[in-house]
Amino acid sequence: INGEDLSQSNVNFESMCPVEAHACYANALIHNDVSDVHVGLYPSLAESLARELPDFHAKDTLRLVVISDTHGYERALTDTDCLEPWLFINDTLKSAEEETNIDGIQTDLCVVKNSYLLPEGDILLHLGDFAVDRGGTARQNALDRFDRWLSLQPHPVKIVVRGNHDPAQVKFSLSQATYVTRPETMTFGNKTIAIVPYGSSGFSVSKATRSSCLIPSTCDILATHEPPHSILDSCLSGDRAGSRVIRSAVENMKGLPPKLWVCGHIHEGRGSMRHTFGTKHTTRETVVINAANANHGRANHLMHGPVVVDVSEKNGICGGKEQKPSLQKTISTERKREKNDNEEELLLAIDLGLRCGASLYDSSGKILRYEQLHFTDSEELNERVPLLIDSWESDINSKMESDPSTANEKRRVLSYLAIEGGGDLLNAWESSLADKKDIQLVYVRPEEWRANLLTQKERKSGRLSKEAARLIARQVVSDFGSMGDHKGKFKTDAAESVAMGFYMASHLGWIVRTPLVKRYSNGNIIVPK
């Protein structure tokens, strides 16, 4: 699976898909045919797909646009009054204005004239909790607004999965969206999507103990309202609220588990990760994405944009362009040397430049050292980089040997060199590893670690991103360092290397904390006083 962060607003809309965090391109496999059962759909799948649709068999790539947990605030995803970086100023406003009369029914002008469209795709998938927690007329009005909003979106197939806040029956008359209230399996071309809504409308997830009650023997994509237990399901309280039953069903599938699992429900679980599911006979690494759009806690606004996922037969291709390997793929390449039991791995994180930030982590997640470095020119950089790599490893071991309390600890060995940045200056770091076969070079894009540590608001500009990085670095040094709280001004390059290294250490499994960055209830970063 390859991915490219596309959160910046200056990307080409025609060639790239905008997403809040990053786009995952799932290389789906073709499995045995699964019986196509469509029960409990309202309107029926046949009715929803009666209009002209793309020939999915002829498509190499199936593009999903995924949203979840909008709670009546769906227009915030496409409203110009709260325009976010994932939206684009283009011809969509003009096209929306031309749609003011749909099937003879006048839509809300405020919905149309002030609206942009979601990113285009083959399937718009809402994973549940679209309704508001009010009764009577207010609830029905909100459902009608949601249906009108759905009708404006450009996707030929629209699927809405029932969530725990949603009614048992809804007729989407305008949008003709398919409403899934029971476990279903759908096939689009050669790709199979299994859907599990929130239970209580004729079935109960908690009582469906057999895999066959929930999902087929194998599928390419799994779409559920609830996340799997212990994966992207941590609430504000710290409790894990994901579904044990659905996870167990996936773990015990007779065939291969899904390549992609999209879910929602837990607002605080927004994000993505990889996990290997299956039995000892059939296992597969699955990309799990929690696409919840709402704020943490009780929903009162939306914090995140849509997620766009391409499921393709091809590997590393999006829009006809070859994608660079993702961070995950770079890390998973075969190591050149097995780690000795008497050694502890180190990670050196570098924020590239002549004015350079560097930070060092060990495999327990502790930050051992961080500095702001300055090189006069590229010639000095080329001279000093090999010495720096050697000295940072040797200095840590010398310090341990001289300290009686740590003299008998494992020898620390630099195993990963993570670099943010590129260009000519990168050559010095790459060439320095020519004779260091034990060190794995990892390229990290700034958009990647920022998407995992920073909020959408903090990523709106370079200035806000740097301010957030300095605060996060203070928190990391305080929580994971042995040198005490940082004193004085935190240099930006050093802070960004600390933040990037912190992300990398968590990605390697050296740091386990949910959420990674501790924040107050208002979203501000907690820093030592």
Side-chain angles (χ1 to χ4, degrees):
I1 294 177
N2 292 324
E4 186 71 30
D5 186 284
L6 304 169
S7 61
Q8 301 303 313
S9 59
N10 60 353
V11 299
N12 187 311
F13 182 70
E14 296 301 326
S15 62
M16 290 186 168
C17 47
V19 299
E20 184 276 329
H22 61 273
C24 298
Y25 300 96
N27 182 23
L29 302 180
I30 301 175
H31 307 306
N32 295 330
D33 290 336
V34 180
S35 59
D36 222 349
V37 181
H38 306 295
V39 181
L41 305 182
Y42 193 99
S44 70
L45 186 66
E47 292 174 13
S48 295
L49 304 186
R51 57 192 179 279
E52 185 176 351
L53 295 177
D55 182 2
F56 290 108
H57 284 284
K59 294 176 70 69
D60 290 329
T61 300
L62 184 70
R63 173 164 290 184
L64 307 179
V65 178
V66 187
I67 56 178
S68 184
D69 298 85
T70 51
H71 292 276
Y73 300 101
E74 63 279 346
R75 284 189 288 181
L77 293 171
T78 53
D79 196 305
T80 59
D81 292 336
C82 50
L83 194 65
E84 296 288 349
W86 63 80
L87 301 175
F88 291 77
I89 297 175
N90 53 28
D91 292 333
T92 53
L93 178 60
K94 180 180 177 181
S95 63
E97 289 174 339
E98 295 171 351
E99 296 281 339
T100 54
N101 192 291
I102 300 175
D103 294 333
I105 300 176
Q106 189 72 19
T107 65
D108 276 347
L109 290 179
C110 63
V111 177
V112 176
K113 288 191 175 181
N114 293 326
S115 295
Y116 287 72
L117 304 183
L118 292 173
E120 292 186 354
D122 299 305
I123 300 174
L124 174 59
L125 188 59
H126 193 301
L127 297 174
D129 284 357
F130 56 86
V132 298
D133 288 328
R134 285 175 286 181
T137 304
R139 185 177 179 87
Q140 185 58 50
N141 288 343
L143 293 175
D144 292 340
R145 287 197 302 271
F146 178 61
D147 186 25
R148 289 198 296 273
W149 179 84
L150 280 176
S151 71
L152 297 175
Q153 304 313 314
H155 312 86
V157 177
K158 299 166 185 176
I159 300 172
V160 180
V161 180
R162 188 190 183 207
N164 55 298
H165 289 268
D166 302 329
Q169 290 188 347
V170 180
K171 185 170 184 178
F172 295 113
S173 303
L174 282 177
S175 64
Q176 286 296 293
T178 296
Y179 189 37
V180 180
T181 61
R182 298 174 63 88
E184 305 295 340
T185 300
M186 302 181 186
T187 301
F188 297 92
N190 51 27
K191 298 171 186 67
T192 301
I193 303 179
I195 304 176
V196 181
Y198 189 83
S200 73
S201 177
F203 89 100
S204 171
V205 169
S206 62
K207 294 180 181 179
T209 55
R210 292 185 296 113
S211 299
S212 58
C213 295
L214 293 176
I215 54 179
S217 60
T218 188
C219 62
D220 301 298
I221 303 162
L222 177 62
T224 66
H225 177 62
E226 297 171 274
H229 187 266
S230 296
I231 298 176
L232 303 176
D233 70 335
S234 183
C235 301
L236 279 176
S237 63
D239 294 338
R240 295 288 191 173
S243 171
R244 295 179 185 272
V245 173
I246 300 177
R247 175 167 180 167
S248 176
V250 173
E251 293 278 16
N252 292 286
M253 293 177 77
K254 294 180 180 178
L256 283 172
K259 192 72 173 179
L260 173 69
W261 185 343
V262 289
C263 58
H265 186 49
I266 305 301
H267 305 172
E268 299 83 0
R270 166 79 179 203
S272 64
M273 67 175 293
R274 292 164 177 257
H275 186 84
T276 300
F277 294 98
T279 66
K280 62 181 181 180
H281 302 295
T282 55
T283 61
R284 180 194 253 174
E285 187 180 63
T286 300
V287 172
V288 184
I289 300 176
N290 183 323
N293 300 114
N295 60 288
H296 295 181
R298 185 179 179 86
N300 55 37
H301 67 281
L302 302 189
M303 287 179 60
H304 306 287
V307 172
V308 177
V309 189
D310 279 0
V311 184
S312 175
E313 304 302 326
K314 298 179 181 179
N315 186 25
I317 301 294
C318 174
K321 296 185 178 181
E322 184 173 307
Q323 300 295 312
K324 295 179 180 179
S326 66
L327 169 62
Q328 292 90 336
K329 185 173 181 180
T330 306
I331 292 178
S332 65
T333 54
E334 185 178 353
R335 294 293 306 279
K336 296 173 182 175
R337 176 182 63 84
E338 291 295 328
K339 182 173 72 73
N340 191 296
D341 291 338
N342 295 320
E343 297 173 343
E344 183 173 3
E345 293 183 305
L346 296 176
L347 160 71
L348 177 59
I350 300 295
D351 182 47
L352 194 62
L354 291 178
R355 190 176 59 187
C356 169
S359 61
L360 189 68
Y361 290 79
D362 68 15
S363 58
S364 69
K366 182 185 294 184
I367 181 169
L368 307 173
R369 181 177 177 179
Y370 62 95
E371 286 185 21
Q372 176 101 348
L373 307 172
H374 180 73
F375 304 98
T376 306
D377 51 32
S378 57
E379 184 177 346
E380 183 186 4
L381 177 69
N382 280 284
E383 291 177 358
R384 289 180 55 189
V385 163
L387 300 175
L388 184 146
I389 292 176
D390 290 336
S391 65
W392 276 49
E393 178 184 297
S394 60
D395 288 352
I396 289 296
N397 286 300
S398 297
K399 184 177 179 180
M400 289 174 52
E401 292 169 2
S402 62
D403 186 347
S405 64
T406 58
N408 295 324
E409 290 189 6
K410 295 180 180 180
R411 180 175 178 271
R412 295 176 176 180
V413 176
L414 186 60
S415 298
Y416 297 98
L417 175 61
I419 295 181
E420 176 199 316
D424 294 338
L425 298 181
L426 180 61
N427 295 335
W429 296 92
E430 290 179 329
S431 60
S432 68
L433 299 185
D435 59 346
K436 301 180 186 300
K437 304 300 184 182
D438 300 337
I439 302 176
Q440 185 172 338
L441 181 61
V442 182
Y443 305 96
V444 185
R445 290 172 291 108
E447 296 87 359
E448 186 161 7
W449 67 260
R450 288 174 184 169
N452 283 270
L453 301 184
L454 276 59
T455 64
Q456 182 73 35
K457 180 179 179 181
E458 291 164 349
R459 299 198 303 276
K460 280 188 174 181
S461 70
R463 178 182 62 82
L464 293 175
S465 294
K466 293 179 187 298
E467 289 178 358
R470 289 192 289 267
L471 295 177
I472 291 172
R474 287 185 181 275
Q475 184 184 113
V476 171
V477 169
S478 178
D479 293 352
F480 295 92
S482 57
M483 65 285 291
D485 294 345
H486 182 86
K487 306 298 182 184
K489 183 179 180 180
F490 216 125
K491 299 289 187 179
T492 299
D493 299 292
E496 290 192 325
S497 77
V498 169
M500 186 267 284
F502 178 60
Y503 163 69
M504 273 295 306
S506 69
H507 192 89
L508 291 167
W510 296 357
I511 293 174
V512 179
R513 183 165 81 169
T514 305
L516 278 174
V517 178
K518 295 189 297 184
R519 297 176 181 272
Y520 294 106
S521 57
N522 62 2
N524 291 342
I525 298 167
I526 299 175
V527 294
K529 296 181 179 179

